[in-house]
Amino acid sequence: MELPKETKAIALLEVQAMVAAIAGLDAMLKVANVRLIHTEKRLGGRLVTVVVDGTISDCAAAAEAGRVAAAQVGKVKLCEVVPNPHPEIAKFLYVG
């Protein structure tokens, strides 16, 4: 599977607790033209990662907004933007 042609970046936000993940994801989706492509829950939902895709600038804006919003209600473990991700990443993220 290939990354959609309009996808130029992915943004990852990893936080402790589901509430922080929801707050961060809500901010990410509201501030930029990105879409949720993957979620990962570990340790019974105590560690949650959300991944969105879009253009590089949209992903950068979304990551920053998500980091700020999630930090207000929980602990952010990671916030990263991957510009021009390798096509092999699609096999991991775009499932279904």
Side-chain angles (χ1 to χ4, degrees), residues 3-4 7-13 28 34-35 37 50-56 58-60 63 80-86 89-90 92-94:
L3 293 166
T7 299
K8 306 248 188 286
I10 57 172
L12 301 93
L13 177 66
M28 293 171 90
V34 295
R35 66 184 180 134
I37 60 164
V50 295
V51 184
V52 299
D53 72 359
T55 65
I56 294 172
D58 280 334
C59 282
E80 189 68 40
V81 174
V82 180
N84 303 310
H86 191 280
I89 291 176
F92 181 73
L93 295 176
Y94 296 88

Side-chain angles (χ1 to χ4, degrees), residues 12-17 20-21 42-43 45-50 63 66-68 70-80:
L12 301 93
L13 177 66
E14 186 171 77
V15 297
Q16 283 185 326
R42 297 284 183 213
L43 305 173
R46 292 182 305 216
L47 189 61
V48 182
T49 306
V50 295
R67 183 189 64 73
V68 169
Q72 291 177 351
V73 294
K75 185 170 185 177
V76 175
K77 301 300 257 177
L78 171 114
C79 182
E80 189 68 40

Side-chain angles (χ1 to χ4, degrees), residues 19-30:
V19 172
I22 292 170
L25 178 60
D26 183 57
M28 293 171 90
L29 295 171
K30 287 178 177 175

